[in-house]
Amino acid sequence: AEQFSRYFASAIAKATGISLQGLSYKENLIDYFGQLLVLLDDVSSHFYLVIDDYHLIENSEIHDALRFWLKHQPSSMSLVLLSRLLPPLSITNLRIHEKLLEIDVHQLAFTPTETRQFFAQKLNQTLSDEVVFALCEKVEGWATALQLMIFALKQNPELLQSPEKLISKLNQLHIADYLNEEVFHYVDPEMKQFMQRCSILRSMNEKLVFALTQ
């Protein structure tokens, strides 16, 4: 929590120009945030603070302190959280008062039109509607997978003639590597075993998973 407080305060100081002199961490992040809020009283220019990879934070003290911060945050500040999971910050009240903008997987997914534009920019060629729809539908508009397709196509342009073969190649190589590095590596052992046992299923529901894993 103390390390987080230093990053948080330093970022705010850089964005606003306030001095952190006299600000001290006393074994309590909420108290520290209270001191920081007092320093921000005179800041009128709007600024943004971005916290990336928030899903990696498991310290409940940090979550509690950010709940406090969001309740008292100055109007001159916008807090941006990027996370693969919904942060445990009790944000319902922000929704009710229309102080929250959420961008989730549905907004982030590429549409067929956006997929066509993306491939046109990266490959300097226009794809047929059939190919664009097949590629976009297969990965459900997942931007990372589309980027990996570009990488594979630059290595082997002939794959563009066979979307199924392109997807198969991605699954065997790039997507598997990406998921291992960015997702699977951070999963706890019990969940990892559960995922491995369920991986033989093409689709799943509660009864099927229970029958397989007990």
Side-chain angles (χ1 to χ4, degrees), residues 8 35 45 61 136 147 214:
F8 193 89
Q35 297 177 56
S45 299
E61 184 182 351
C136 185
Q147 178 65 37
Q214 296 302 308

Side-chain angles (χ1 to χ4, degrees), residues 48-61:
Y48 295 83
L49 177 67
V50 182
I51 304 177
D52 199 0
D53 288 332
Y54 193 84
H55 55 276
L56 298 178
I57 296 177
E58 298 177 347
N59 189 327
S60 60
E61 184 182 351

Side-chain angles (χ1 to χ4, degrees), residues 125-145:
Q125 60 177 300
T126 302
L127 306 185
S128 68
D129 289 346
E130 184 180 0
V131 170
V132 167
F133 186 81
L135 296 178
C136 185
E137 185 76 5
K138 201 70 177 180
V139 299
E140 299 179 1
W142 182 26
T144 297

Side-chain angles (χ1 to χ4, degrees), residues 52-133:
D52 199 0
D53 288 332
Y54 193 84
H55 55 276
L56 298 178
I57 296 177
E58 298 177 347
N59 189 327
S60 60
E61 184 182 351
I62 295 176
H63 298 320
D64 291 342
L66 270 181
R67 290 190 196 101
F68 169 82
W69 182 270
L70 286 169
K71 286 181 180 179
H72 304 282
Q73 179 174 291
S75 58
S76 59
M77 173 179 167
S78 292
L79 180 64
V80 182
L81 299 183
L82 295 97
S83 176
R84 291 178 180 169
L85 302 172
L86 189 64
L89 296 177
S90 304
I91 53 180
T92 302
N93 197 48
L94 294 176
R95 286 196 190 101
I96 293 173
H97 291 90
E98 298 183 347
K99 293 183 177 181
L100 177 70
L101 172 63
E102 292 178 273
I103 302 175
D104 62 18
V105 64
H106 302 293
Q107 283 84 42
L108 292 174
F110 277 40
T111 64
T113 299
E114 291 166 338
T115 301
R116 179 185 291 105
Q117 293 171 344
F118 179 69
F119 275 84
Q121 287 179 353
K122 295 289 186 176
L123 297 176
N124 295 318
Q125 60 177 300
T126 302
L127 306 185
S128 68
D129 289 346
E130 184 180 0
V131 170
V132 167
F133 186 81

Side-chain angles (χ1 to χ4, degrees), residues 7-18:
Y7 283 122
F8 193 89
S10 295
I12 286 181
K14 186 175 181 179
T16 62
I18 64 170

Side-chain angles (χ1 to χ4, degrees), residues 1-9 24-29 32-33 59 61-62:
E2 183 175 6
Q3 183 182 24
F4 180 84
S5 73
R6 295 184 188 282
Y7 283 122
F8 193 89
S24 60
Y25 183 85
K26 300 173 182 177
E27 304 300 323
N28 188 308
L29 188 53
Y32 183 87
F33 276 0
N59 189 327
E61 184 182 351
I62 295 176

